[in-house]
Amino acid sequence: MSGLVSYLSGQAAEDTIAADYDRRGQKVEARRWRGKYGEVDLIARDGNTVVFVEVKKSRDFLRAAERITPAQLERIHATACEYLEREPLGQMTPCRFDVALVDAQGTTQIIENALAY
């Protein structure tokens, strides 16, 4: 039962963040995009820039941020590279990696360009 609750809680957090990006004019074009190396929670467009978003929910922002592991960063990066292969400019496509944090009260914090490579 707790697995289902966690799944639904994570999905609700992603929905909230996706709505925030849409409100800011950054159209979300993929949710939970899965490639050979892993999954990216949200993929949005900010003009010509592809935005890869990792959403983390926890009791508070610090705990949410601490849930991002080095191995997960590597998987996100590899998956993003795979996604960019579909773009006309391929790996030369402008992109950024954002982290979206959601606390227990549903408050959000988006950190643009948080995962630099």
Side-chain angles (χ1 to χ4, degrees):
M1 183 71 161
S2 70
L4 177 60
V5 171
S6 292
Y7 173 80
L8 293 174
S9 177
Q11 190 154 14
E14 289 174 14
D15 290 346
T16 298
I17 297 299
D20 191 343
Y21 275 87
D22 284 337
R23 267 193 304 282
R24 295 187 293 145
Q26 298 177 37
K27 183 181 180 325
V28 173
E29 57 184 42
R31 292 176 182 227
R32 296 191 176 192
W33 191 85
R34 180 160 287 286
K36 292 183 284 192
Y37 305 104
E39 182 179 277
V40 176
D41 293 331
L42 300 171
I43 301 173
R45 291 267 175 191
D46 184 3
N48 293 331
T49 301
V50 177
V51 183
F52 299 98
V53 184
E54 179 63 19
V55 179
K56 288 295 183 190
K57 182 177 189 317
S58 194
R59 202 172 358 173
D60 56 53
F61 292 142
L62 179 60
R63 289 183 196 278
E66 288 174 341
R67 294 183 60 217
I68 301 171
T69 66
Q72 187 176 33
L73 291 175
E74 288 300 318
R75 284 193 303 273
I76 292 167
H77 184 254
T79 304
C81 288
E82 182 181 356
Y83 184 87
L84 290 175
E85 291 172 8
R86 307 166 19 155
E87 295 291 312
L89 294 177
Q91 300 297 317
M92 299 302 291
T93 303
C95 67
R96 74 172 195 253
F97 296 85
D98 293 358
V99 171
L101 307 173
V102 182
D103 70 11
Q105 290 74 40
T107 306
T108 63
Q109 181 179 12
I110 295 174
I111 305 165
E112 292 187 0
N113 215 25
L115 309 176
Y117 285 95

